[in-house]
Amino acid sequence: MNVYVMIGAPGAGKGTQAQILSKRLGFVHVASGDLFREAAASGTPLGREASRYMERGALVPDDLVIAMIEERLSRPDADAGVVLDGFPRTRAQAEALDAALAARGSKVTSALYVGVNERELVRRLAGRWLCRAAGHPYHEISAPPRLPGVCDIDGSELYQRDDDKPETVRARLEQQLPPMFDVIDHYRSRGVLAAVDGELPIDDVADALLRVVTAPAHNGAPG
Ligand code: AMP
């Protein structure tokens, strides 16, 4: 099983990159935030519990996250490979992932860090708007819609995610950056960390990531 871990702060573009990379490699894109939002929207016990943390920009406790990801990895469509997006976010989660994969005779193929400096993260997050119908992303300054508040692609209403509102953005970064650096250390010490510059244009970041995962020196590169 090929397992790529995408690492990046909120707003670094790791979700966008995980989507592009998973498509290019033919792997499943597994985004922990999306799994939680789906569970919250369908009102499952897990979803209700998780939304208590998500609403205030806090991390959901490790045991809930780990149980959810293990369930997702056990589905057949994950057999060929996965690109994990938003997980692991703490050292404990990274260790739990190692253990879950070891139990299947597998391990993390590569951890891919999309680096963006903190000022740029705040600028990106506080201006981000998404469309209700499909989550198409816009930015107040760098990518505004043609009509304010309306999606160019499907005409649906634009909204700001509760945890993208300026007052929550700084709290999210303050809470999420230190554990993210622990996760980076974890993979560096295992020799599977690669970093790309997340401040480049989207296509350039995507190409850099593809070069990393297909480089001959890269452990376990597909093909
Ligand atoms: P995201 O869409 O990745 O920004 O995730 C949205 C929210 O879901 C986060 O702010 C957390 O509350 C929660 N969440 C997602 N992934 C994790 C994780 N690996 N560990 C803890 N909480 C998570």
Side-chain angles (χ1 to χ4, degrees):
M1 184 180 191
N2 279 292
V3 181
Y4 289 99
V5 170
M6 231 33 182
I7 306 173
K14 84 178 144 43
T16 304
Q17 295 300 335
Q19 249 168 30
I20 298 173
L21 188 68
S22 58
K23 230 177 243 153
R24 286 180 169 184
L25 296 173
F27 295 167
V28 186
H29 174 209
V30 175
S32 51
D34 289 349
L35 293 177
F36 280 130
R37 278 186 289 276
E38 279 160 26
S42 38
T44 64
L46 172 85
R48 282 203 300 273
E49 176 78 18
S51 40
R52 290 177 27 211
Y53 297 89
M54 295 168 72
E55 278 160 9
R56 53 173 206 269
L59 289 180
V60 175
D62 285 347
D63 52 346
L64 288 184
V65 189
I66 290 160
M68 188 184 65
I69 296 286
E70 282 196 347
E71 189 280 322
R72 184 65 189 86
L73 291 181
S74 70
R75 291 191 226 157
D77 64 350
D79 284 349
V82 291
V83 177
L84 294 177
D85 168 9
F87 174 87
R89 282 253 244 287
T90 63
R91 191 183 293 274
Q93 289 180 10
E95 286 166 358
L97 177 63
D98 287 349
L101 292 173
R104 300 157 186 261
S106 182
K107 62 186 170 64
V108 168
T109 313
S110 188
L112 308 165
Y113 172 51
V114 181
V116 172
N117 81 63
E118 204 171 329
R119 273 185 55 167
E120 173 66 8
L121 293 174
V122 173
R123 191 195 69 81
R124 287 185 183 183
L125 287 172
R128 182 162 77 167
W129 292 76
L130 303 170
C131 87
R132 292 236 182 252
H136 297 126
Y138 295 85
H139 191 277
E140 281 171 13
I141 297 160
S142 52
R146 282 194 298 268
L147 282 177
V150 181
C151 179
D152 291 353
I153 299 166
D154 57 37
S156 72
E157 179 199 14
L158 302 185
Y159 74 102
Q160 231 183 351
R161 246 172 65 175
D162 283 342
D163 58 358
D164 277 349
K165 297 194 169 143
E167 60 276 16
T168 321
V169 163
R170 281 187 193 277
R172 263 167 102 193
L173 288 177
E174 255 162 49
Q175 294 186 46
Q176 298 191 16
L177 291 188
M180 181 188 79
F181 288 118
D182 289 344
V183 171
I184 290 174
D185 283 346
H186 175 87
Y187 290 117
R188 186 185 291 118
S189 72
R190 276 159 184 68
V192 293
L193 182 73
V196 300
D197 179 357
E199 294 181 28
L200 298 172
I202 291 177
D203 291 346
D204 294 350
V205 180
D207 290 345
L209 286 167
L210 196 65
R211 273 198 300 279
V212 168
V213 305
T214 56
H218 180 78
N219 278 342

